[in-house]
């Protein structure tokens, strides 16, 4: 059992800027899907001189909506939480339209996963103008965004803290509507666990995620994420100890309650858990086969 309760009540309308707070507006992209929910949330921070976080997919209509939302204002910065194709591709065209500088942790080095192509496949063309490191800040009139490095979902994933409102733009690290897919080789479950624990030491009042509704009082959700991942990992280890040798066997039993359309993504997260168990010396992997480690509880 975990305390992970999802919230799928979301009133976003694609193309319309919605004010969430004195400093934050949201513009929803019209790219719904099983991995993007109702679409990608692009955020506008500030008033007058503003930053855009996660411009979204390369889509003419969404570009027009963002430009309309900031009409009469100056976009000074474009920040990207991570370079998945539903978050970063529009950065180049928005930069061309506004003259803003693009910022992120950096381009991703690992190749795309073979086989399954998620809606959130890797945007290998994205390279920011400026790389951000942990603790770097981006400022404008009345607002400060601080970079928080949170690898796991992707190796270059960052969250951005809006200090004036104790708000965190969480990208795909933590979302209220569903868990986040961890897809090797770029996604790493060990890093993801560490990045989740990192949030437990913060006092954010609200999370604004890359998909779905914002979440006030977010710490219970983060704890639920951690408990859920621990539960999944222990269940996967138990199945291997009971004789399961392939990812497909594990998904069929452990993810039986998950929509079959999502079993491809579940297989990626299961693989990430298996690799994490190997890293912890709780399982071993030989010629692609996972096995229990003798004497390990």
């Amino acid at each position: 059992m975990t305390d992970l309760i999802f919230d799928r009540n979301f009133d976003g309308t694609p193309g319309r800027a919605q004010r969430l707070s004195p400093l934050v507006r949201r513009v929803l992209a019209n790219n719904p899907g099983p991995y993007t929910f109702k679409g990608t949330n692009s955020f506008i921070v500030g008033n007058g001189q503003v930053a855009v976080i996660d411009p979204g997919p390369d889509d003419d209509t969404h570009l027009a909506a963002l430009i309309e939302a900031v009409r009469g204002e100056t976009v000074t910065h474009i920040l990207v939480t991570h370079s998945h194709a539903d978050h970063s591709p529009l950065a180049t065209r928005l930069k061309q339209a506004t003259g803003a500088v693009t910022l992120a942790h950096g381009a991703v080095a690992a190749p795309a996963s073979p086989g399954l192509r998620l809606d959130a496949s890797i945007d290998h063309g994205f390279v920011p103008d400026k790389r951000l490191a942990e603790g770097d800040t981006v400022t404008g009139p009345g607002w400060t965004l601080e970079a928080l490095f949170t690898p796991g979902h992707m190796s270059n994933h960052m969250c951005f803290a809006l200090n004036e409102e104790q708000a965190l733009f969480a990208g795909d690290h933590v979302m209220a509507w569903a868990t986040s897919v961890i897809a090797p080789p770029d996604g790493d479950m060990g890093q993801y666990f560490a990045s989740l624990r990192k949030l437990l030491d913060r006092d954010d009042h609200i999370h604004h995620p890359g998909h779905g509704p914002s979440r006030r009082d977010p710490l219970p959700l983060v704890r639920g994420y951690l408990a859920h991942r621990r539960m999944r990992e222990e269940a996967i280890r138990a199945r291997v100890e009971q004789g399961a040798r392939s990812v497909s066997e594990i998904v069929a039993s452990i993810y039986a309650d998950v929509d079959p359309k999502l079993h491809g993504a579940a297989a990626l997260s299961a693989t990430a858990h298996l690799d994490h168990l190997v890293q912890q010396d709780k399982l071993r992997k030989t010629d692609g086969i996972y096995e229990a480690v003798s004497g390990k509880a």
Side-chain angles (χ1 to χ4, degrees):
M1 292 291 291
T2 75
D3 294 326
L4 189 55
I5 300 174
F6 295 127
D7 178 8
R8 296 187 173 92
N9 294 314
F10 185 57
D11 60 355
T13 301
R16 180 174 64 86
Q18 181 178 8
R19 183 164 290 280
L20 304 181
S21 73
L23 288 175
V24 178
R25 287 165 280 173
R26 178 178 61 207
V27 182
L28 177 66
N30 191 20
N31 62 327
Y35 307 109
T36 57
F37 194 38
K38 300 297 180 67
T40 301
N41 294 327
S42 297
F43 295 100
I44 301 166
V45 178
N47 299 285
Q49 294 184 26
V50 305
V52 173
I53 298 176
D54 281 350
D58 189 2
D59 178 83
D60 292 344
T61 301
H62 191 54
L63 176 63
L66 287 173
I67 291 173
E68 177 61 29
V70 298
R71 186 174 299 278
E73 300 178 290
T74 300
V75 180
T76 57
H77 301 85
I78 301 167
L79 294 90
V80 173
T81 60
H82 62 295
S83 54
H84 270 155
D86 54 332
H87 289 260
S88 59
L90 198 59
T92 297
R93 294 175 65 191
L94 187 61
K95 172 187 172 179
Q96 292 170 346
T98 63
V101 62
T102 59
L103 306 98
H105 181 259
V108 66
S113 298
L116 178 70
R117 174 183 170 87
L118 301 182
D119 289 352
S121 58
I122 294 175
D123 174 16
H124 287 284
F126 174 70
V127 179
D129 296 324
K130 181 179 178 181
R131 295 191 59 169
L132 295 173
E134 174 82 13
D136 285 349
T137 58
V138 178
T139 61
W143 55 266
T144 305
L145 290 168
E146 182 177 352
L148 182 71
F149 186 40
T150 51
H153 175 69
M154 278 194 79
S155 62
N156 66 354
H157 195 288
M158 287 196 122
C159 297
F160 300 107
L162 177 59
N163 294 335
E164 288 79 2
E165 294 188 352
Q166 289 182 274
L168 188 74
F169 296 93
D172 285 0
H173 184 45
V174 176
M175 300 176 288
W177 78 280
T179 56
S180 183
V181 176
I182 312 301
D186 187 68
D188 185 280
M189 192 62 73
Q191 291 181 340
Y192 188 64
F193 270 108
S195 294
L196 284 175
R197 288 192 293 267
K198 195 173 189 176
L199 299 188
L200 296 179
D201 296 327
R202 298 182 55 81
D203 60 351
D204 302 306
H205 289 180
I206 189 169
H207 282 180
H208 299 301
H211 307 278
S214 298
R215 177 66 173 255
R216 295 191 179 278
D217 187 23
L219 278 183
L221 179 64
V222 176
R223 295 189 190 101
Y225 256 67
L226 277 164
H228 173 80
R229 286 298 182 189
R230 292 190 193 104
M231 179 189 70
R232 285 291 195 206
E233 192 151 288
E234 285 306 307
I236 287 169
R237 181 171 70 155
R239 284 293 297 123
V240 172
E241 291 173 344
Q242 291 162 10
R245 292 292 176 264
S246 69
V247 173
S248 60
E249 287 180 81
I250 291 168
V251 170
S253 58
I254 300 301
Y255 292 88
D257 59 336
V258 174
D259 186 336
K261 291 185 295 185
L262 302 179
H263 276 193
L268 293 174
S269 285
T271 300
H273 276 300
L274 287 162
D275 290 345
H276 187 222
L277 287 163
V278 171
Q279 291 165 11
Q280 299 172 86
D281 196 29
K282 294 180 178 180
L283 296 178
R284 64 171 173 262
K285 183 180 181 182
T286 306
D287 296 329
I289 302 299
Y290 295 92
E291 298 176 302
V293 175
S294 177
K296 293 288 183 180

